[in-house]
Amino acid sequence: MEHLSLLDNHIPGNTTLITAVELERFVGLRSLALDFCDFTAEMARVLADNNHVPLYRLSLLVHNISVMHKSLENMPEDEDWKALTRNSTNLRVYIMAFDIKSDDMLRILKPSIPLERIHFDSYITCVSGAVVDLISRQYDKFLTHFILMNDVIDTSGFPDLSDNRTEDPLVLLAWRCTRLSLLAVHGYTVWAHNLIAIARLRGSDLKVLEVTEESIDFDQGELADQDVDPVHNLIEQY
């Protein structure tokens, strides 16, 4: 077997769908999808063994329900990721995170993960600017897709990742991650001038730049003396 996907949010308690011992049998595995809490340091060491063919795709689902019922204590440390990538030099990792606290994400995101794609979806807990900043610094050589979705109901407006920061984390992401080809933001404030900066930094290499109109905010100076729709004017500038 070359491809194995074991994802089920309905597994109760500490039950896992596969153990490291069972994973040892899949010596020809090239693509694996698991709940992050089930992907242990022992599993990483199994996949790093020379008896296994190199892994080229690892998809990990991080869900707040799973984190609450299971533990992050057994997750791979940075040395485990280094060993895995030595055996699987072309490995790329895709992470989908649902309602994960920023403190937990900062623990999960080890420097040696070859993270190519990450998708955040929030209904309760929003992503912090610190998490976005860490991603842009650690995965600048790998990251191609960054998706940020927020459905948290907040009457005070969308969260602003650039609050109390001299530089907007999304602009820094576009600047540092030179392979970035898709950036989607829904339900977070993106200032118009920062959106233009992102588009210009990545140019035609950024194949998809998707931001909901409700997420775009304008400085008062940008709104003054405009007879046309400011979003239309923004598109013209880009």
Side-chain angles (χ1 to χ4, degrees):
M1 182 181 291
E2 292 189 358
H3 309 283
L4 180 63
S5 178
L6 295 172
L7 297 171
D8 191 345
N9 283 333
H10 302 292
I11 298 297
N14 294 320
T15 307
T16 58
L17 293 173
I18 192 170
T19 65
V21 173
E22 293 168 331
L23 191 63
E24 287 181 354
R25 304 170 190 168
F26 297 93
V27 293
L29 204 61
R30 293 189 176 276
S31 174
L32 176 64
L34 279 181
D35 186 303
F36 183 83
C37 291
D38 292 341
F39 186 66
T40 62
E42 188 179 0
M43 280 190 177
R45 289 191 283 270
V46 166
L47 294 170
D49 193 280
N50 289 331
N51 292 331
H52 285 72
V53 300
L55 196 68
Y56 72 83
R57 168 65 66 189
L58 178 60
S59 301
L60 298 170
L61 173 66
V62 195
H63 201 291
N64 69 319
I65 295 174
S66 182
V67 172
M68 282 191 307
H69 287 93
K70 299 179 183 180
S71 171
L72 293 174
E73 297 305 317
N74 296 320
M75 68 179 176
E77 295 299 329
D78 200 52
E79 289 302 316
D80 301 311
W81 284 107
K82 286 179 180 177
L84 179 55
T85 53
R86 277 196 296 270
N87 184 55
S88 302
T89 54
N90 293 319
L91 175 65
R92 295 296 179 264
V93 175
Y94 172 29
I95 292 178
M96 176 169 270
F98 288 96
D99 270 326
I100 301 300
K101 295 177 181 178
S102 290
D103 288 347
D104 287 332
M105 282 308 304
L106 293 172
R107 289 180 60 197
I108 288 167
L109 295 171
K110 305 300 183 188
S112 297
I113 298 175
L115 183 67
E116 183 180 65
R117 304 182 180 203
I118 190 160
H119 181 151
F120 291 100
D121 210 332
S122 304
Y123 295 90
I124 302 170
T125 305
C126 296
V127 175
S128 70
V131 169
V132 180
D133 184 61
L134 182 72
I135 290 169
S136 71
R137 285 188 286 107
Q138 291 190 164
Y139 311 118
D140 55 305
K141 294 180 176 63
F142 298 104
L143 194 72
T144 63
H145 290 57
F146 186 86
I147 300 173
L148 198 56
M149 311 278 288
N150 170 40
D151 292 306
V152 177
I153 299 174
D154 188 345
T155 55
S156 64
F158 294 140
D160 185 355
L161 297 174
S162 64
D163 268 355
N164 302 316
R165 290 174 174 268
T166 54
E167 298 288 346
D168 185 282
L170 291 174
V171 174
L172 291 175
L173 184 89
W175 176 53
R176 291 167 175 158
C177 300
T178 55
R179 299 187 66 228
L180 191 69
S181 62
L182 183 148
L183 175 62
V185 182
H186 302 270
Y188 287 83
T189 294
V190 181
W191 291 93
H193 58 272
N194 287 331
L195 190 56
I196 292 171
I198 290 167
R200 290 176 176 172
L201 278 166
R202 292 273 50 86
S204 60
D205 292 333
L206 189 62
K207 305 303 181 186
V208 177
L209 176 57
E210 183 180 300
V211 181
T212 48
E213 185 175 338
E214 295 79 12
S215 293
I216 303 172
D217 211 341
F218 296 85
D219 293 323
Q220 289 303 310
E222 293 172 313
L223 294 174
D225 302 324
Q226 284 195 16
D227 296 327
V228 298
D229 176 15
V231 174
H232 175 78
N233 186 59
L234 177 66
I235 294 170
E236 289 295 315
Q237 290 184 63
Y238 171 50

